[in-house]
Amino acid sequence: QCGNGLVLTPDFCIYRSGQPNRFRDSAPIRNIYRGASSLVVRSLLMEGAFESLTALRDYTAERIPSGKLSLGTVSKVAKALEEDRLLIRNEEGIRLADRRGALEKLLSNARSKRAVTLQGRTEMGLEEVGARLGAASQGGDIGPYTVTGLSSAGWYGVLSAAGPMSVYVGDVAAARELLEVRETRVFPTIELVEDRSDVVHFDRRVDGTLAWASPVQTWIELMKAGPREREAAAALESSLGWSGDELP
Protein backbone atom coordinates (compact mmCIF):
# COMPACT_ATOMS: atom_id res chain seq x y z
CA GLN A 1 0.00 0.00 0.00
CA CYS A 2 2.87 2.37 0.61
CA GLY A 3 4.76 1.46 -2.57
CA ASN A 4 8.17 1.26 -0.90
CA GLY A 5 9.98 -1.89 0.14
CA LEU A 6 12.37 -4.73 -0.70
CA VAL A 7 11.59 -8.45 -0.90
CA LEU A 8 14.35 -11.00 -1.71
CA THR A 9 13.84 -14.71 -2.47
CA PRO A 10 16.05 -17.33 -4.20
CA ASP A 11 13.98 -16.93 -7.38
CA PHE A 12 13.17 -13.22 -7.62
CA CYS A 13 13.43 -9.84 -5.95
CA ILE A 14 11.06 -6.88 -5.52
CA TYR A 15 12.49 -3.46 -4.85
CA ARG A 16 11.21 0.01 -3.99
CA SER A 17 8.92 1.49 -6.63
CA GLY A 18 9.31 5.10 -5.54
CA GLN A 19 5.62 5.69 -4.86
CA PRO A 20 4.87 8.02 -1.91
CA ASN A 21 3.92 6.44 1.40
CA ARG A 22 0.15 6.65 1.78
CA PHE A 23 0.29 6.12 5.55
CA ARG A 24 3.22 8.15 6.77
CA ASP A 25 2.40 8.04 10.47
CA SER A 26 0.84 4.92 11.95
CA ALA A 27 1.44 5.91 15.57
CA PRO A 28 -1.70 6.45 17.67
CA ILE A 29 -2.67 9.96 18.75
CA ARG A 30 -1.45 10.62 22.28
CA ASN A 31 -4.67 12.28 23.47
CA ILE A 32 -7.75 12.32 21.23
CA TYR A 33 -9.68 14.50 23.68
CA ARG A 34 -7.42 17.53 23.26
CA GLY A 35 -6.48 19.68 20.28
CA ALA A 36 -7.56 19.08 16.69
CA SER A 37 -8.44 15.41 17.23
CA SER A 38 -10.99 16.40 19.90
CA LEU A 39 -13.03 18.10 17.17
CA VAL A 40 -13.91 14.66 15.80
CA VAL A 41 -15.30 13.74 19.22
CA ARG A 42 -17.30 16.99 19.29
CA SER A 43 -18.83 16.16 15.92
CA LEU A 44 -19.95 12.78 17.23
CA LEU A 45 -21.48 14.46 20.25
CA MET A 46 -23.52 16.77 18.04
CA GLU A 47 -24.68 14.21 15.45
CA GLY A 48 -24.42 10.91 17.27
CA ALA A 49 -23.83 8.78 14.18
CA PHE A 50 -22.29 8.86 10.69
CA GLU A 51 -22.50 6.42 7.81
CA SER A 52 -18.72 6.40 7.32
CA LEU A 53 -15.42 7.84 8.47
CA THR A 54 -15.39 10.00 5.35
CA ALA A 55 -18.77 11.49 6.27
CA LEU A 56 -17.47 12.21 9.77
CA ARG A 57 -14.32 13.80 8.36
CA ASP A 58 -16.31 16.00 5.96
CA TYR A 59 -18.75 17.13 8.67
CA THR A 60 -15.89 18.04 11.00
CA ALA A 61 -13.71 19.75 8.39
CA GLU A 62 -16.59 21.98 7.28
CA ARG A 63 -16.76 23.39 10.79
CA ILE A 64 -13.04 24.00 11.29
CA PRO A 65 -11.87 27.52 10.35
CA SER A 66 -8.77 26.11 8.64
CA GLY A 67 -10.77 23.28 7.03
CA LYS A 68 -7.80 20.95 7.52
CA LEU A 69 -8.43 17.43 8.79
CA SER A 70 -7.07 14.18 7.39
CA LEU A 71 -9.01 10.96 7.09
CA GLY A 72 -6.10 9.26 8.86
CA THR A 73 -6.65 11.43 11.95
CA VAL A 74 -10.36 10.59 11.98
CA SER A 75 -9.57 6.88 11.69
CA LYS A 76 -7.15 7.03 14.64
CA VAL A 77 -9.70 8.91 16.76
CA ALA A 78 -12.39 6.34 15.94
CA LYS A 79 -10.07 3.47 16.86
CA ALA A 80 -9.18 5.11 20.19
CA LEU A 81 -12.86 5.75 20.96
CA GLU A 82 -13.60 2.09 20.28
CA GLU A 83 -10.84 1.10 22.69
CA ASP A 84 -12.40 3.43 25.29
CA ARG A 85 -15.78 1.78 24.58
CA LEU A 86 -17.29 5.10 23.55
CA LEU A 87 -17.85 4.22 19.87
CA ILE A 88 -19.58 1.40 18.02
CA ARG A 89 -18.58 0.62 14.45
CA ASN A 90 -20.47 -1.84 12.24
CA GLU A 91 -21.83 -2.29 8.70
CA GLU A 92 -24.34 0.52 9.29
CA GLY A 93 -21.59 3.04 10.07
CA ILE A 94 -20.25 4.51 13.29
CA ARG A 95 -22.10 5.88 16.29
CA LEU A 96 -21.34 7.24 19.71
CA ALA A 97 -22.07 4.66 22.40
CA ASP A 98 -21.65 6.77 25.54
CA ARG A 99 -22.34 10.50 25.33
CA ARG A 100 -21.75 11.11 29.04
CA GLY A 101 -18.40 9.36 28.87
CA ALA A 102 -17.32 11.42 25.86
CA LEU A 103 -18.40 14.67 27.53
CA GLU A 104 -16.49 13.86 30.70
CA LYS A 105 -13.36 12.98 28.70
CA LEU A 106 -13.49 16.30 26.83
CA LEU A 107 -14.08 18.23 30.04
CA SER A 108 -11.21 16.64 31.97
CA ASN A 109 -8.80 17.28 29.08
CA ALA A 110 -9.90 20.82 28.16
CA ARG A 111 -7.23 23.47 28.49
CA SER A 112 -8.06 26.60 30.46
CA LYS A 113 -4.88 28.59 29.86
CA ARG A 114 -5.31 32.02 28.29
CA ALA A 115 -2.23 33.50 26.67
CA VAL A 116 -3.18 37.16 26.27
CA THR A 117 -6.31 38.77 27.69
CA LEU A 118 -7.33 42.42 27.60
CA GLN A 119 -10.31 44.09 29.29
CA GLY A 120 -11.57 47.51 28.34
CA ARG A 121 -14.37 49.71 27.14
CA THR A 122 -15.63 50.44 23.64
CA GLU A 123 -18.40 52.75 22.51
CA MET A 124 -19.51 50.24 19.86
CA GLY A 125 -22.58 48.10 20.27
CA LEU A 126 -22.42 44.32 19.96
CA GLU A 127 -23.67 44.28 16.38
CA GLU A 128 -20.97 46.70 15.27
CA VAL A 129 -18.34 44.76 17.21
CA GLY A 130 -19.39 41.60 15.39
CA ALA A 131 -19.50 43.34 12.00
CA ARG A 132 -16.01 44.79 12.37
CA LEU A 133 -14.49 41.56 13.68
CA GLY A 134 -16.20 39.54 10.96
CA ALA A 135 -14.94 41.79 8.17
CA ALA A 136 -11.41 41.82 9.58
CA SER A 137 -11.49 38.05 10.04
CA GLN A 138 -12.42 37.48 6.40
CA GLY A 139 -9.64 39.81 5.36
CA GLY A 140 -7.16 37.80 7.40
CA ASP A 141 -6.18 40.77 9.57
CA ILE A 142 -7.00 39.33 13.01
CA GLY A 143 -7.65 35.66 12.35
CA PRO A 144 -10.94 33.99 13.36
CA TYR A 145 -13.14 35.42 16.08
CA THR A 146 -15.79 33.78 18.27
CA VAL A 147 -17.66 34.86 21.38
CA THR A 148 -16.42 32.71 24.27
CA GLY A 149 -18.53 29.90 25.64
CA LEU A 150 -19.27 31.73 28.89
CA SER A 151 -20.49 34.79 27.00
CA SER A 152 -22.43 32.59 24.57
CA ALA A 153 -24.53 31.06 27.37
CA GLY A 154 -27.02 33.94 27.16
CA TRP A 155 -27.51 33.33 23.44
CA TYR A 156 -28.42 29.71 24.24
CA GLY A 157 -30.87 31.02 26.83
CA VAL A 158 -29.38 29.20 29.81
CA LEU A 159 -27.68 32.04 31.69
CA SER A 160 -28.31 35.77 31.89
CA ALA A 161 -25.47 37.95 30.66
CA ALA A 162 -23.11 39.21 33.36
CA GLY A 163 -19.88 41.16 33.02
CA PRO A 164 -18.18 42.18 29.79
CA MET A 165 -18.68 40.40 26.48
CA SER A 166 -15.72 38.04 26.08
CA VAL A 167 -14.43 37.26 22.58
CA TYR A 168 -11.74 34.95 21.21
CA VAL A 169 -9.63 36.72 18.58
CA GLY A 170 -6.50 35.79 16.70
CA ASP A 171 -4.65 39.03 17.54
CA VAL A 172 -5.56 41.04 20.64
CA ALA A 173 -3.55 44.11 19.65
CA ALA A 174 -5.15 44.32 16.21
CA ALA A 175 -8.65 43.72 17.62
CA ARG A 176 -8.13 46.38 20.26
CA GLU A 177 -7.29 48.96 17.61
CA LEU A 178 -10.11 47.84 15.34
CA LEU A 179 -12.74 48.13 18.10
CA GLU A 180 -11.23 51.29 19.61
CA VAL A 181 -10.95 49.65 23.02
CA ARG A 182 -9.69 51.70 25.94
CA GLU A 183 -8.02 49.32 28.36
CA THR A 184 -9.50 49.40 31.87
CA ARG A 185 -10.66 46.97 34.52
CA VAL A 186 -13.21 49.43 35.88
CA PHE A 187 -16.64 48.46 34.50
CA PRO A 188 -15.24 46.94 31.28
CA THR A 189 -17.67 46.25 28.43
CA ILE A 190 -15.48 43.89 26.43
CA GLU A 191 -12.78 41.29 27.00
CA LEU A 192 -10.46 40.14 24.22
CA VAL A 193 -8.85 36.70 24.54
CA GLU A 194 -6.09 35.76 22.09
CA ASP A 195 -6.63 32.24 20.75
CA ARG A 196 -6.15 31.08 17.14
CA SER A 197 -6.72 27.39 17.87
CA ASP A 198 -9.37 25.55 15.88
CA VAL A 199 -10.79 24.20 19.14
CA VAL A 200 -12.47 27.37 20.43
CA HIS A 201 -13.62 28.44 16.96
CA PHE A 202 -14.94 25.02 15.90
CA ASP A 203 -18.63 24.77 14.96
CA ARG A 204 -19.36 28.38 15.91
CA ARG A 205 -22.93 29.58 15.34
CA VAL A 206 -23.34 32.79 13.34
CA ASP A 207 -26.39 34.91 14.14
CA GLY A 208 -26.47 38.27 12.42
CA THR A 209 -23.01 39.76 12.77
CA LEU A 210 -22.04 37.75 15.85
CA ALA A 211 -20.40 34.32 15.94
CA TRP A 212 -21.24 32.37 19.10
CA ALA A 213 -19.31 29.43 20.54
CA SER A 214 -20.47 25.90 19.73
CA PRO A 215 -22.76 24.06 22.18
CA VAL A 216 -19.91 21.76 23.24
CA GLN A 217 -17.45 24.60 23.84
CA THR A 218 -20.12 26.52 25.76
CA TRP A 219 -20.90 23.47 27.90
CA ILE A 220 -17.22 22.90 28.71
CA GLU A 221 -16.61 26.51 29.74
CA LEU A 222 -19.74 26.55 31.90
CA MET A 223 -18.73 23.30 33.61
CA LYS A 224 -15.26 24.68 34.38
CA ALA A 225 -16.72 27.78 36.07
CA GLY A 226 -18.80 28.19 39.26
CA PRO A 227 -21.96 26.53 40.64
CA ARG A 228 -24.28 28.94 38.81
CA GLU A 229 -22.56 28.21 35.51
CA ARG A 230 -22.69 24.44 36.11
CA GLU A 231 -26.44 24.71 36.61
CA ALA A 232 -26.58 26.52 33.27
CA ALA A 233 -24.55 23.68 31.72
CA ALA A 234 -27.17 21.20 32.94
CA ALA A 235 -29.90 23.36 31.38
CA LEU A 236 -27.95 23.42 28.10
CA GLU A 237 -27.66 19.62 28.18
CA SER A 238 -31.42 19.37 28.60
CA SER A 239 -32.15 21.80 25.75
CA LEU A 240 -29.85 19.82 23.44
CA GLY A 241 -31.34 16.49 24.42
CA TRP A 242 -28.13 15.32 26.06
CA SER A 243 -29.67 14.51 29.43
CA GLY A 244 -31.38 11.26 28.43
CA ASP A 245 -29.78 7.91 27.82
CA GLU A 246 -30.83 7.67 24.19
CA LEU A 247 -28.40 8.73 21.51
CA PRO A 248 -29.53 10.11 18.15
Side-chain angles (χ1 to χ4, degrees), residues 176-239:
R176 175 187 181 181
E177 182 177 353
L178 179 71
L179 302 177
E180 301 174 10
V181 177
R182 177 174 60 84
E183 185 174 4
T184 178
R185 293 188 177 275
V186 179
F187 302 115
T189 60
I190 192 168
E191 179 184 55
L192 302 175
V193 183
E194 190 165 285
D195 195 329
R196 287 181 174 268
S197 70
D198 284 333
V199 173
V200 299
H201 299 287
F202 175 72
D203 194 23
R204 63 183 196 157
R205 307 301 170 93
V206 179
D207 183 10
T209 66
L210 292 167
W212 306 93
S214 74
V216 179
Q217 182 65 27
T218 299
W219 181 85
I220 289 174
E221 292 187 29
L222 288 170
M223 286 296 293
K224 292 178 76 68
R228 179 168 171 263
E229 288 79 10
R230 287 193 288 274
E231 289 181 4
L236 181 60
E237 285 185 49
S238 179
S239 70

Side-chain angles (χ1 to χ4, degrees), residues 15 44 63 66 90 94 96 99 112 128 153 188 190 220 232 245:
Y15 58 92
L44 284 162
R63 289 158 176 78
S66 67
N90 53 35
I94 55 177
L96 195 63
R99 178 187 286 120
S112 56
E128 185 176 359
I190 192 168
I220 289 174
D245 293 330

Side-chain angles (χ1 to χ4, degrees), residues 2 6 17 33 55 63 67 81 92 105 136 207 235 237 246:
C2 70
L6 177 65
S17 67
Y33 304 103
R63 289 158 176 78
L81 285 171
E92 296 180 356
K105 287 282 191 179
D207 183 10
E237 285 185 49
E246 287 190 18

Side-chain angles (χ1 to χ4, degrees), residues 73-139:
T73 295
V74 176
S75 179
K76 291 178 184 180
V77 172
K79 181 179 179 181
L81 285 171
E82 282 186 288
E83 293 173 352
D84 287 346
R85 299 185 178 181
L86 298 178
L87 186 79
I88 295 174
R89 182 166 17 182
N90 53 35
E91 64 278 359
E92 296 180 356
I94 55 177
R95 67 181 180 88
L96 195 63
D98 183 356
R99 178 187 286 120
R100 173 54 51 189
L103 282 169
E104 293 299 332
K105 287 282 191 179
L106 286 176
L107 179 62
S108 63
N109 286 279
R111 298 183 186 274
S112 56
K113 181 181 179 181
R114 292 183 172 185
V116 178
T117 302
L118 180 144
Q119 287 187 335
R121 295 183 63 84
T122 178
E123 301 302 321
M124 299 178 191
L126 292 182
E127 291 297 321
E128 185 176 359
V129 166
R132 289 203 177 193
L133 288 175
S137 178
Q138 292 179 357

Side-chain angles (χ1 to χ4, degrees), residues 155-178:
W155 185 73
Y156 286 103
V158 296
L159 188 68
S160 57
M165 170 69 76
S166 183
V167 185
Y168 291 119
V169 295
D171 188 322
V172 163
R176 175 187 181 181
E177 182 177 353
L178 179 71

